[in-house]
Amino acid sequence: MKHFSLLMLFVALLLVSCSQSQKSMSEEDRFVEELLAKMTLAEKVGQLNQYTSRWEMTGPAPKGNAGAQDLLDQLKEGKVGSMLNVNGAEATRKAQQTVVENSRLGIPLIFGYDVIHGYKTMFPIPLGEAASWNPELARLSSEIAAKEAAISGINWTFAPMVDVGRDARWGRVMEGAGEDPYLGSAFAKARVHGFQGDDLSDEFSIAACAKHFAGYAFSESGRDYNSVEIGSETLHNIVLPPFKAAVEGDVATFMNGFNTINGEPVTASSYLQRDLLKGKWGFDGFVVSDWNSIGEIETHGASANLKESAERAIKGGSDMDMEARAYITHLEELVTEGKVDEALIDEGVRRVLRIKYRLGLFDDPYKYCNVENEKNMMYTDEHRAAARKVARESMVLLKNNKQLLPISEKVKSIAVIGPLANDKDSPLGNWRAKADSHSAVSLLEGVKAAVGQSVKVNYAEGCKLSIGPRNFTDRMIFNETDRSGFKAAISAARQSEVVLLALGEDCYQSGEGRSMSDITLKGLQQELFDEIYKVNKNIVVVLMTGRPVAIPEIAEKAGAILETWHAGTEGGHAMADVLFGKYNPSGKLPVTFPRNVGQCPIFYNYKNTGRPIGQTDAWVLYSCYNDTPNSPQFPFGYGLSYTQFEYSDITLDKNTITKVGELTVNVSVTNTGSVDGEEVVQLYIQDIAATYARPVKELKGFEKVMIKAGETKTLSFKLTETELGYYFPCGTYTVEAGQFNVFVGGNSVDVKQAQFSIE
Ligand code: NOJ
């Protein structure tokens, strides 16, 4: 009897728990499980296979098979789950139709594309947007990019790139939010929200993809695709936080990377992808490999052949294979041989189907392919106005001697000179999706539109920057010899009161595969500057770059320097807005500008070392260069305004808090100049004595505020355990007792300081 009632109790409990789990099974789960149950192994593997279109390639040409007919056959057989680089409402509809109408289960494709900083309307490169220190702008630009992409049939962008980039030599610094994990996390979240909106099934939302997981930006010597050797303290505190932030922002997908970390290809890393991302962080979307990164496991020397690479990648947690053909060729066989558990494949497929479900593709596989929308909602006035707004807020005023800027209304002649002065292409930046070549507003056009007939504009190119191919894949050749344009440029400078000298980088000097061993200005640009300087000292250098550049002489001699980055479709108008004072510059560097390439990698949140140098930069037996100061040309967080801001001392609401306590840091900022302006108020901390050495400063708060001329604003920042702890090398987050410094200022160097302790 006793046994019987125990049994009854057990059965009752079982029934309750079953009915609970049935109840908790969402519509989405039920849909996915039912579909999965119908799929053959071959169909499952198909969902994990991604091919590029044949007409647009963003990586080396795929190896083996896959001519057009083969691709068509595979689409019809349900052997392809996703395509990249297919775009346009008609093209995507056609490809979708091929799959939905011919394959046994009609599971729609998901179309991915690199929508990095705009689709047709180009916004500033991501590094530029980060210089706005206004994540809301990144949200807005991503929302517009998503809309333009969505109406072209794209469901998924391979963005944001959230790699923290410390090395100016690495070409892809242009694609991220700079060197800081805190700023990077804020931008990661904002971009994910912009692309995905509040509801992934909205017709204008697309899935985002946090990439490249992880460590890709730490490639040796800044050479793209190279090995990464970093300690786990750096991994946890610097590299991973923006990825974690993307997960907290509900990012739908992740992309892994080409690199190894300490010898392990990240594409095969079950620690990163399974334990951390899908385990500890609870990410329920899918991970796509980078282009052939599964194939490259073999090239790294970490597998003997493609089959072994496939095995390592699926076991490591890579769900979808981009262009390695490793999964489609070997996964079935690996399962049959018992080397890979089918449950791993099921898990990957589940994740892919889940995102397709959330995008609404099962309700209407064609909802993204709308030819009418594509005609009417693309590149609109509203989108261009937003691009102008974002661009001008991204610009950083690096120098402004004797108030050369804004250009006074009294100035009646302006020279616009330089290889980039009338360049309508470079402002579009690299990774420009479907922007029309040469469609940006150039600096010259922007200036002419701003001044009308009232000012004489003397234009001269001066010199060409490159004389070789300009495209996504070919190496550029710079002009080292042709000075034939110098004469006209010198004459234009002579005849003008102010010179706007547009120097910097072509858009194809940064981006994927665009690492540089020298980050000074290429070609004859320095020489052009020197010649102009001989005849006119009122030079405003309008710097258009995709990375921090080393410009020591220009930094010393130019009257003013405005870093505009590659500013997008409306670049020239936005530049003119700033140059003529229609907009008071408010950007701050999201990345340190070195004095020379030998300082790379250089970043503000370095550790003190046992032999730090003092302010003099001049002792031999301390950690320093003997031929250049340790300090950068322009520090992280730096940027000027047309007004000045004065900071009060910091006040704290208490001097001691507990490990779970909260501290309020107050500071007042006064606009002491004569024009209104926005200031980015930055808060840094230093954990003075910890178990593991901590950086001399770590950004832990910022706020961009508009302060009217003469006005004072008081700002309050809260510090809690979220800001005050750090990761031990084992990955455990810890707040430690002890003394802390807190700093507040308008950049990472000029700061007010106070102290508190945690007990
Ligand atoms: C390789 C790049 O590393 C990645 O960021 C990009 O999304 C893919 N190619 C697809 O174009």
Side-chain angles (χ1 to χ4, degrees), residues 127 168 179 396 398 519 543 545 547-551 561 563 565 589-596 599-600 602 631-636:
L127 185 65
E179 73 189 37
V396 186
L398 296 174
I519 54 164
L543 203 55
T545 69
R547 58 156 59 75
V549 282
I551 46 162
I561 305 172
E563 173 60 80
W565 317 104
L589 293 179
V591 72
T592 303
F593 270 47
R595 293 172 191 271
N596 59 41
Q599 289 187 318
C600 293
I602 183 168
S631 57
Q633 188 76 60
F634 300 111
F636 176 81

PDB file of all heavy atoms in Angstrom, residues 127 168 179 396 398 519 543 545 547-551 561 563 565 589-596 599-600 602 631-636:
ATOM      1  N   LEU A 127      33.809  53.246 -37.070  1.00  0.00           N
ATOM      2  CA  LEU A 127      34.759  53.908 -36.169  1.00  0.00           C
ATOM      3  C   LEU A 127      34.383  55.389 -36.032  1.00  0.00           C
ATOM      4  O   LEU A 127      34.473  55.969 -34.948  1.00  0.00           O
ATOM      5  CB  LEU A 127      36.186  53.772 -36.721  1.00  0.00           C
ATOM      6  CG  LEU A 127      37.303  54.319 -35.838  1.00  0.00           C
ATOM      7  CD1 LEU A 127      37.413  53.533 -34.527  1.00  0.00           C
ATOM      8  CD2 LEU A 127      38.661  54.276 -36.567  1.00  0.00           C
ATOM      9  N   ALA A 168      46.307  50.337 -34.946  1.00  0.00           N
ATOM     10  CA  ALA A 168      45.964  51.152 -36.120  1.00  0.00           C
ATOM     11  C   ALA A 168      46.437  50.515 -37.415  1.00  0.00           C
ATOM     12  O   ALA A 168      45.949  50.857 -38.495  1.00  0.00           O
ATOM     13  CB  ALA A 168      46.577  52.540 -35.973  1.00  0.00           C
ATOM     14  N   GLU A 179      38.873  51.269 -29.370  1.00  0.00           N
ATOM     15  CA  GLU A 179      39.747  50.475 -28.502  1.00  0.00           C
ATOM     16  C   GLU A 179      39.168  50.151 -27.130  1.00  0.00           C
ATOM     17  O   GLU A 179      39.819  49.475 -26.341  1.00  0.00           O
ATOM     18  CB  GLU A 179      41.068  51.213 -28.315  1.00  0.00           C
ATOM     19  CG  GLU A 179      40.990  52.450 -27.407  1.00  0.00           C
ATOM     20  CD  GLU A 179      42.276  53.271 -27.416  1.00  0.00           C
ATOM     21  OE1 GLU A 179      42.904  53.377 -28.484  1.00  0.00           O
ATOM     22  OE2 GLU A 179      42.639  53.799 -26.353  1.00  0.00           O
ATOM     23  N   VAL A 396      35.780  64.868 -35.463  1.00  0.00           N
ATOM     24  CA  VAL A 396      36.556  65.230 -34.272  1.00  0.00           C
ATOM     25  C   VAL A 396      37.514  66.369 -34.615  1.00  0.00           C
ATOM     26  O   VAL A 396      38.356  66.238 -35.510  1.00  0.00           O
ATOM     27  CB  VAL A 396      37.361  64.020 -33.745  1.00  0.00           C
ATOM     28  CG1 VAL A 396      38.048  64.389 -32.427  1.00  0.00           C
ATOM     29  CG2 VAL A 396      36.462  62.799 -33.550  1.00  0.00           C
ATOM     30  N   LEU A 398      40.632  68.091 -33.971  1.00  0.00           N
ATOM     31  CA  LEU A 398      41.867  67.685 -33.281  1.00  0.00           C
ATOM     32  C   LEU A 398      42.750  68.870 -32.923  1.00  0.00           C
ATOM     33  O   LEU A 398      43.553  68.812 -32.007  1.00  0.00           O
ATOM     34  CB  LEU A 398      42.661  66.703 -34.157  1.00  0.00           C
ATOM     35  CG  LEU A 398      41.981  65.359 -34.439  1.00  0.00           C
ATOM     36  CD1 LEU A 398      42.801  64.535 -35.425  1.00  0.00           C
ATOM     37  CD2 LEU A 398      41.778  64.573 -33.147  1.00  0.00           C
ATOM     38  N   ILE A 519      51.660  53.931 -41.129  1.00  0.00           N
ATOM     39  CA  ILE A 519      50.370  54.631 -41.046  1.00  0.00           C
ATOM     40  C   ILE A 519      50.521  56.144 -41.211  1.00  0.00           C
ATOM     41  O   ILE A 519      49.678  56.905 -40.762  1.00  0.00           O
ATOM     42  CB  ILE A 519      49.616  54.270 -39.748  1.00  0.00           C
ATOM     43  CG1 ILE A 519      50.501  54.518 -38.518  1.00  0.00           C
ATOM     44  CG2 ILE A 519      49.126  52.833 -39.781  1.00  0.00           C
ATOM     45  CD1 ILE A 519      49.740  54.554 -37.224  1.00  0.00           C
ATOM     46  N   LEU A 543      40.916  65.778 -42.528  1.00  0.00           N
ATOM     47  CA  LEU A 543      41.528  64.453 -42.537  1.00  0.00           C
ATOM     48  C   LEU A 543      40.445  63.396 -42.750  1.00  0.00           C
ATOM     49  O   LEU A 543      39.507  63.302 -41.966  1.00  0.00           O
ATOM     50  CB  LEU A 543      42.196  64.267 -41.170  1.00  0.00           C
ATOM     51  CG  LEU A 543      43.332  63.273 -41.011  1.00  0.00           C
ATOM     52  CD1 LEU A 543      44.467  63.514 -41.988  1.00  0.00           C
ATOM     53  CD2 LEU A 543      43.861  63.340 -39.571  1.00  0.00           C
ATOM     54  N   THR A 545      40.070  59.531 -42.912  1.00  0.00           N
ATOM     55  CA  THR A 545      40.805  58.271 -42.732  1.00  0.00           C
ATOM     56  C   THR A 545      39.895  57.163 -42.199  1.00  0.00           C
ATOM     57  O   THR A 545      38.844  57.425 -41.629  1.00  0.00           O
ATOM     58  CB  THR A 545      41.975  58.438 -41.731  1.00  0.00           C
ATOM     59  OG1 THR A 545      41.440  58.633 -40.410  1.00  0.00           O
ATOM     60  CG2 THR A 545      42.862  59.614 -42.085  1.00  0.00           C
ATOM     61  N   ARG A 547      41.337  54.889 -40.173  1.00  0.00           N
ATOM     62  CA  ARG A 547      42.124  54.415 -39.019  1.00  0.00           C
ATOM     63  C   ARG A 547      42.830  55.616 -38.403  1.00  0.00           C
ATOM     64  O   ARG A 547      42.887  56.687 -39.005  1.00  0.00           O
ATOM     65  CB  ARG A 547      43.156  53.398 -39.469  1.00  0.00           C
ATOM     66  CG  ARG A 547      44.119  53.938 -40.541  1.00  0.00           C
ATOM     67  CD  ARG A 547      45.438  53.203 -40.569  1.00  0.00           C
ATOM     68  NE  ARG A 547      45.368  51.783 -40.820  1.00  0.00           N
ATOM     69  CZ  ARG A 547      45.135  51.204 -42.003  1.00  0.00           C
ATOM     70  NH1 ARG A 547      44.950  51.971 -43.067  1.00  0.00           N
ATOM     71  NH2 ARG A 547      45.132  49.892 -42.144  1.00  0.00           N
ATOM     72  N   PRO A 548      43.396  55.454 -37.213  1.00  0.00           N
ATOM     73  CA  PRO A 548      44.264  56.510 -36.699  1.00  0.00           C
ATOM     74  C   PRO A 548      45.509  56.575 -37.579  1.00  0.00           C
ATOM     75  O   PRO A 548      46.053  55.544 -37.951  1.00  0.00           O
ATOM     76  CB  PRO A 548      44.645  56.013 -35.302  1.00  0.00           C
ATOM     77  CG  PRO A 548      43.692  54.930 -34.970  1.00  0.00           C
ATOM     78  CD  PRO A 548      43.264  54.324 -36.271  1.00  0.00           C
ATOM     79  N   VAL A 549      45.927  57.768 -37.939  1.00  0.00           N
ATOM     80  CA  VAL A 549      47.136  57.906 -38.757  1.00  0.00           C
ATOM     81  C   VAL A 549      48.191  58.668 -37.952  1.00  0.00           C
ATOM     82  O   VAL A 549      47.862  59.372 -36.995  1.00  0.00           O
ATOM     83  CB  VAL A 549      46.838  58.650 -40.080  1.00  0.00           C
ATOM     84  CG1 VAL A 549      46.177  57.730 -41.081  1.00  0.00           C
ATOM     85  CG2 VAL A 549      45.975  59.888 -39.847  1.00  0.00           C
ATOM     86  N   ALA A 550      49.449  58.513 -38.366  1.00  0.00           N
ATOM     87  CA  ALA A 550      50.543  59.222 -37.680  1.00  0.00           C
ATOM     88  C   ALA A 550      50.896  60.456 -38.494  1.00  0.00           C
ATOM     89  O   ALA A 550      51.382  60.345 -39.623  1.00  0.00           O
ATOM     90  CB  ALA A 550      51.739  58.295 -37.554  1.00  0.00           C
ATOM     91  N   ILE A 551      50.628  61.623 -37.925  1.00  0.00           N
ATOM     92  CA  ILE A 551      50.830  62.877 -38.666  1.00  0.00           C
ATOM     93  C   ILE A 551      51.585  63.883 -37.791  1.00  0.00           C
ATOM     94  O   ILE A 551      51.110  65.018 -37.613  1.00  0.00           O
ATOM     95  CB  ILE A 551      49.474  63.472 -39.119  1.00  0.00           C
ATOM     96  CG1 ILE A 551      48.458  63.459 -37.961  1.00  0.00           C
ATOM     97  CG2 ILE A 551      48.917  62.755 -40.335  1.00  0.00           C
ATOM     98  CD1 ILE A 551      47.281  64.374 -38.145  1.00  0.00           C
ATOM     99  N   ILE A 561      42.909  70.972 -37.526  1.00  0.00           N
ATOM    100  CA  ILE A 561      42.740  69.619 -38.098  1.00  0.00           C
ATOM    101  C   ILE A 561      41.355  69.108 -37.711  1.00  0.00           C
ATOM    102  O   ILE A 561      41.004  69.090 -36.528  1.00  0.00           O
ATOM    103  CB  ILE A 561      43.797  68.624 -37.560  1.00  0.00           C
ATOM    104  CG1 ILE A 561      45.218  69.164 -37.799  1.00  0.00           C
ATOM    105  CG2 ILE A 561      43.622  67.260 -38.212  1.00  0.00           C
ATOM    106  CD1 ILE A 561      46.309  68.321 -37.130  1.00  0.00           C
ATOM    107  N   GLU A 563      39.217  65.687 -38.088  1.00  0.00           N
ATOM    108  CA  GLU A 563      39.126  64.276 -38.500  1.00  0.00           C
ATOM    109  C   GLU A 563      37.680  64.013 -38.890  1.00  0.00           C
ATOM    110  O   GLU A 563      36.773  64.140 -38.050  1.00  0.00           O
ATOM    111  CB  GLU A 563      39.551  63.360 -37.351  1.00  0.00           C
ATOM    112  CG  GLU A 563      39.340  61.882 -37.573  1.00  0.00           C
ATOM    113  CD  GLU A 563      40.086  61.285 -38.765  1.00  0.00           C
ATOM    114  OE1 GLU A 563      41.294  60.999 -38.646  1.00  0.00           O
ATOM    115  OE2 GLU A 563      39.429  61.103 -39.818  1.00  0.00           O
ATOM    116  N   TRP A 565      36.847  61.121 -40.822  1.00  0.00           N
ATOM    117  CA  TRP A 565      36.722  59.699 -41.152  1.00  0.00           C
ATOM    118  C   TRP A 565      36.244  59.570 -42.594  1.00  0.00           C
ATOM    119  O   TRP A 565      36.319  60.541 -43.359  1.00  0.00           O
ATOM    120  CB  TRP A 565      35.773  58.987 -40.180  1.00  0.00           C
ATOM    121  CG  TRP A 565      35.969  59.379 -38.744  1.00  0.00           C
ATOM    122  CD1 TRP A 565      35.166  60.219 -38.016  1.00  0.00           C
ATOM    123  CD2 TRP A 565      37.038  58.984 -37.867  1.00  0.00           C
ATOM    124  NE1 TRP A 565      35.668  60.355 -36.730  1.00  0.00           N
ATOM    125  CE2 TRP A 565      36.823  59.605 -36.608  1.00  0.00           C
ATOM    126  CE3 TRP A 565      38.140  58.151 -37.989  1.00  0.00           C
ATOM    127  CZ2 TRP A 565      37.663  59.429 -35.515  1.00  0.00           C
ATOM    128  CZ3 TRP A 565      38.986  57.975 -36.895  1.00  0.00           C
ATOM    129  CH2 TRP A 565      38.744  58.604 -35.687  1.00  0.00           C
ATOM    130  N   LEU A 589      37.750  61.114 -29.827  1.00  0.00           N
ATOM    131  CA  LEU A 589      38.392  59.930 -30.404  1.00  0.00           C
ATOM    132  C   LEU A 589      38.003  58.648 -29.667  1.00  0.00           C
ATOM    133  O   LEU A 589      38.173  58.565 -28.448  1.00  0.00           O
ATOM    134  CB  LEU A 589      39.913  60.082 -30.373  1.00  0.00           C
ATOM    135  CG  LEU A 589      40.494  61.173 -31.267  1.00  0.00           C
ATOM    136  CD1 LEU A 589      42.014  61.230 -31.110  1.00  0.00           C
ATOM    137  CD2 LEU A 589      40.123  60.947 -32.731  1.00  0.00           C
ATOM    138  N   PRO A 590      37.541  57.630 -30.413  1.00  0.00           N
ATOM    139  CA  PRO A 590      37.269  56.333 -29.782  1.00  0.00           C
ATOM    140  C   PRO A 590      38.509  55.450 -29.821  1.00  0.00           C
ATOM    141  O   PRO A 590      38.457  54.274 -29.478  1.00  0.00           O
ATOM    142  CB  PRO A 590      36.174  55.754 -30.680  1.00  0.00           C
ATOM    143  CG  PRO A 590      36.424  56.351 -32.019  1.00  0.00           C
ATOM    144  CD  PRO A 590      37.099  57.676 -31.820  1.00  0.00           C
ATOM    145  N   VAL A 591      39.607  56.051 -30.272  1.00  0.00           N
ATOM    146  CA  VAL A 591      40.819  55.285 -30.486  1.00  0.00           C
ATOM    147  C   VAL A 591      41.992  56.256 -30.381  1.00  0.00           C
ATOM    148  O   VAL A 591      41.873  57.419 -30.769  1.00  0.00           O
ATOM    149  CB  VAL A 591      40.700  54.603 -31.879  1.00  0.00           C
ATOM    150  CG1 VAL A 591      40.843  55.574 -33.020  1.00  0.00           C
ATOM    151  CG2 VAL A 591      41.625  53.457 -32.060  1.00  0.00           C
ATOM    152  N   THR A 592      43.110  55.787 -29.834  1.00  0.00           N
ATOM    153  CA  THR A 592      44.283  56.642 -29.640  1.00  0.00           C
ATOM    154  C   THR A 592      45.001  56.887 -30.971  1.00  0.00           C
ATOM    155  O   THR A 592      45.137  55.964 -31.771  1.00  0.00           O
ATOM    156  CB  THR A 592      45.256  55.919 -28.680  1.00  0.00           C
ATOM    157  OG1 THR A 592      44.556  55.630 -27.476  1.00  0.00           O
ATOM    158  CG2 THR A 592      46.471  56.772 -28.380  1.00  0.00           C
ATOM    159  N   PHE A 593      45.445  58.113 -31.195  1.00  0.00           N
ATOM    160  CA  PHE A 593      46.248  58.408 -32.387  1.00  0.00           C
ATOM    161  C   PHE A 593      47.733  58.393 -31.996  1.00  0.00           C
ATOM    162  O   PHE A 593      48.179  59.221 -31.204  1.00  0.00           O
ATOM    163  CB  PHE A 593      45.881  59.792 -32.956  1.00  0.00           C
ATOM    164  CG  PHE A 593      44.777  59.752 -33.973  1.00  0.00           C
ATOM    165  CD1 PHE A 593      43.617  59.043 -33.738  1.00  0.00           C
ATOM    166  CD2 PHE A 593      44.897  60.432 -35.186  1.00  0.00           C
ATOM    167  CE1 PHE A 593      42.585  59.000 -34.666  1.00  0.00           C
ATOM    168  CE2 PHE A 593      43.873  60.401 -36.134  1.00  0.00           C
ATOM    169  CZ  PHE A 593      42.720  59.672 -35.881  1.00  0.00           C
ATOM    170  N   PRO A 594      48.506  57.449 -32.556  1.00  0.00           N
ATOM    171  CA  PRO A 594      49.921  57.375 -32.194  1.00  0.00           C
ATOM    172  C   PRO A 594      50.748  58.474 -32.861  1.00  0.00           C
ATOM    173  O   PRO A 594      50.294  59.105 -33.817  1.00  0.00           O
ATOM    174  CB  PRO A 594      50.340  56.006 -32.736  1.00  0.00           C
ATOM    175  CG  PRO A 594      49.360  55.655 -33.771  1.00  0.00           C
ATOM    176  CD  PRO A 594      48.097  56.429 -33.526  1.00  0.00           C
ATOM    177  N   ARG A 595      51.968  58.665 -32.347  1.00  0.00           N
ATOM    178  CA  ARG A 595      52.896  59.604 -33.006  1.00  0.00           C
ATOM    179  C   ARG A 595      53.556  58.954 -34.203  1.00  0.00           C
ATOM    180  O   ARG A 595      53.894  59.619 -35.179  1.00  0.00           O
ATOM    181  CB  ARG A 595      53.999  60.019 -32.030  1.00  0.00           C
ATOM    182  CG  ARG A 595      53.504  60.837 -30.877  1.00  0.00           C
ATOM    183  CD  ARG A 595      54.637  61.017 -29.865  1.00  0.00           C
ATOM    184  NE  ARG A 595      54.103  61.576 -28.652  1.00  0.00           N
ATOM    185  CZ  ARG A 595      53.989  62.886 -28.428  1.00  0.00           C
ATOM    186  NH1 ARG A 595      54.382  63.753 -29.329  1.00  0.00           N
ATOM    187  NH2 ARG A 595      53.478  63.320 -27.292  1.00  0.00           N
ATOM    188  N   ASN A 596      53.787  57.654 -34.077  1.00  0.00           N
ATOM    189  CA  ASN A 596      54.383  56.919 -35.194  1.00  0.00           C
ATOM    190  C   ASN A 596      53.975  55.457 -35.082  1.00  0.00           C
ATOM    191  O   ASN A 596      53.452  55.020 -34.050  1.00  0.00           O
ATOM    192  CB  ASN A 596      55.908  57.080 -35.213  1.00  0.00           C
ATOM    193  CG  ASN A 596      56.536  56.585 -33.930  1.00  0.00           C
ATOM    194  OD1 ASN A 596      56.140  55.556 -33.379  1.00  0.00           O
ATOM    195  ND2 ASN A 596      57.502  57.324 -33.409  1.00  0.00           N
ATOM    196  N   GLN A 599      54.736  52.934 -32.148  1.00  0.00           N
ATOM    197  CA  GLN A 599      53.983  52.929 -30.877  1.00  0.00           C
ATOM    198  C   GLN A 599      52.830  51.921 -30.876  1.00  0.00           C
ATOM    199  O   GLN A 599      52.234  51.666 -29.839  1.00  0.00           O
ATOM    200  CB  GLN A 599      53.412  54.319 -30.595  1.00  0.00           C
ATOM    201  CG  GLN A 599      54.434  55.369 -30.201  1.00  0.00           C
ATOM    202  CD  GLN A 599      53.748  56.656 -29.770  1.00  0.00           C
ATOM    203  OE1 GLN A 599      52.777  57.083 -30.392  1.00  0.00           O
ATOM    204  NE2 GLN A 599      54.244  57.284 -28.727  1.00  0.00           N
ATOM    205  N   CYS A 600      52.494  51.397 -32.060  1.00  0.00           N
ATOM    206  CA  CYS A 600      51.334  50.495 -32.155  1.00  0.00           C
ATOM    207  C   CYS A 600      51.658  49.124 -31.574  1.00  0.00           C
ATOM    208  O   CYS A 600      52.744  48.610 -31.822  1.00  0.00           O
ATOM    209  CB  CYS A 600      50.913  50.310 -33.607  1.00  0.00           C
ATOM    210  SG  CYS A 600      50.248  51.791 -34.351  1.00  0.00           S
ATOM    211  N   ILE A 602      48.840  51.059 -29.365  1.00  0.00           N
ATOM    212  CA  ILE A 602      48.856  52.042 -28.272  1.00  0.00           C
ATOM    213  C   ILE A 602      47.413  52.283 -27.844  1.00  0.00           C
ATOM    214  O   ILE A 602      46.527  52.405 -28.696  1.00  0.00           O
ATOM    215  CB  ILE A 602      49.566  53.339 -28.720  1.00  0.00           C
ATOM    216  CG1 ILE A 602      49.656  54.346 -27.561  1.00  0.00           C
ATOM    217  CG2 ILE A 602      48.955  53.958 -29.956  1.00  0.00           C
ATOM    218  CD1 ILE A 602      50.590  55.529 -27.846  1.00  0.00           C
ATOM    219  N   SER A 631      53.724  58.956 -24.735  1.00  0.00           N
ATOM    220  CA  SER A 631      52.394  59.538 -24.886  1.00  0.00           C
ATOM    221  C   SER A 631      52.001  59.594 -26.357  1.00  0.00           C
ATOM    222  O   SER A 631      52.854  59.694 -27.239  1.00  0.00           O
ATOM    223  CB  SER A 631      52.378  60.950 -24.303  1.00  0.00           C
ATOM    224  OG  SER A 631      53.378  61.711 -24.958  1.00  0.00           O
ATOM    225  N   PRO A 632      50.693  59.519 -26.636  1.00  0.00           N
ATOM    226  CA  PRO A 632      50.252  59.524 -28.034  1.00  0.00           C
ATOM    227  C   PRO A 632      50.215  60.935 -28.626  1.00  0.00           C
ATOM    228  O   PRO A 632      50.393  61.919 -27.898  1.00  0.00           O
ATOM    229  CB  PRO A 632      48.845  58.962 -27.930  1.00  0.00           C
ATOM    230  CG  PRO A 632      48.366  59.397 -26.594  1.00  0.00           C
ATOM    231  CD  PRO A 632      49.568  59.421 -25.699  1.00  0.00           C
ATOM    232  N   GLN A 633      49.908  61.000 -29.909  1.00  0.00           N
ATOM    233  CA  GLN A 633      49.698  62.311 -30.533  1.00  0.00           C
ATOM    234  C   GLN A 633      48.391  62.918 -30.025  1.00  0.00           C
ATOM    235  O   GLN A 633      48.350  64.068 -29.616  1.00  0.00           O
ATOM    236  CB  GLN A 633      49.610  62.129 -32.055  1.00  0.00           C
ATOM    237  CG  GLN A 633      49.589  63.424 -32.826  1.00  0.00           C
ATOM    238  CD  GLN A 633      50.971  64.043 -32.879  1.00  0.00           C
ATOM    239  OE1 GLN A 633      51.906  63.450 -33.378  1.00  0.00           O
ATOM    240  NE2 GLN A 633      51.102  65.240 -32.325  1.00  0.00           N
ATOM    241  N   PHE A 634      47.344  62.106 -30.075  1.00  0.00           N
ATOM    242  CA  PHE A 634      46.043  62.534 -29.543  1.00  0.00           C
ATOM    243  C   PHE A 634      45.479  61.370 -28.725  1.00  0.00           C
ATOM    244  O   PHE A 634      45.390  60.253 -29.229  1.00  0.00           O
ATOM    245  CB  PHE A 634      45.068  62.876 -30.668  1.00  0.00           C
ATOM    246  CG  PHE A 634      45.535  63.986 -31.570  1.00  0.00           C
ATOM    247  CD1 PHE A 634      45.896  63.715 -32.886  1.00  0.00           C
ATOM    248  CD2 PHE A 634      45.624  65.299 -31.122  1.00  0.00           C
ATOM    249  CE1 PHE A 634      46.333  64.730 -33.727  1.00  0.00           C
ATOM    250  CE2 PHE A 634      46.057  66.326 -31.955  1.00  0.00           C
ATOM    251  CZ  PHE A 634      46.421  66.037 -33.258  1.00  0.00           C
ATOM    252  N   PRO A 635      45.099  61.625 -27.476  1.00  0.00           N
ATOM    253  CA  PRO A 635      44.658  60.503 -26.637  1.00  0.00           C
ATOM    254  C   PRO A 635      43.210  60.086 -26.883  1.00  0.00           C
ATOM    255  O   PRO A 635      42.409  60.837 -27.457  1.00  0.00           O
ATOM    256  CB  PRO A 635      44.808  61.068 -25.223  1.00  0.00           C
ATOM    257  CG  PRO A 635      44.642  62.534 -25.371  1.00  0.00           C
ATOM    258  CD  PRO A 635      45.143  62.897 -26.745  1.00  0.00           C
ATOM    259  N   PHE A 636      42.907  58.913 -26.414  1.00  0.00           N
ATOM    260  CA  PHE A 636      41.536  58.398 -26.412  1.00  0.00           C
ATOM    261  C   PHE A 636      40.611  59.408 -25.723  1.00  0.00           C
ATOM    262  O   PHE A 636      40.974  60.011 -24.714  1.00  0.00           O
ATOM    263  CB  PHE A 636      41.518  57.074 -25.647  1.00  0.00           C
ATOM    264  CG  PHE A 636      40.150  56.478 -25.481  1.00  0.00           C
ATOM    265  CD1 PHE A 636      39.559  55.750 -26.505  1.00  0.00           C
ATOM    266  CD2 PHE A 636      39.445  56.640 -24.295  1.00  0.00           C
ATOM    267  CE1 PHE A 636      38.295  55.205 -26.353  1.00  0.00           C
ATOM    268  CE2 PHE A 636      38.175  56.092 -24.131  1.00  0.00           C
ATOM    269  CZ  PHE A 636      37.603  55.375 -25.169  1.00  0.00           C
TER     270      PHE A 636
END
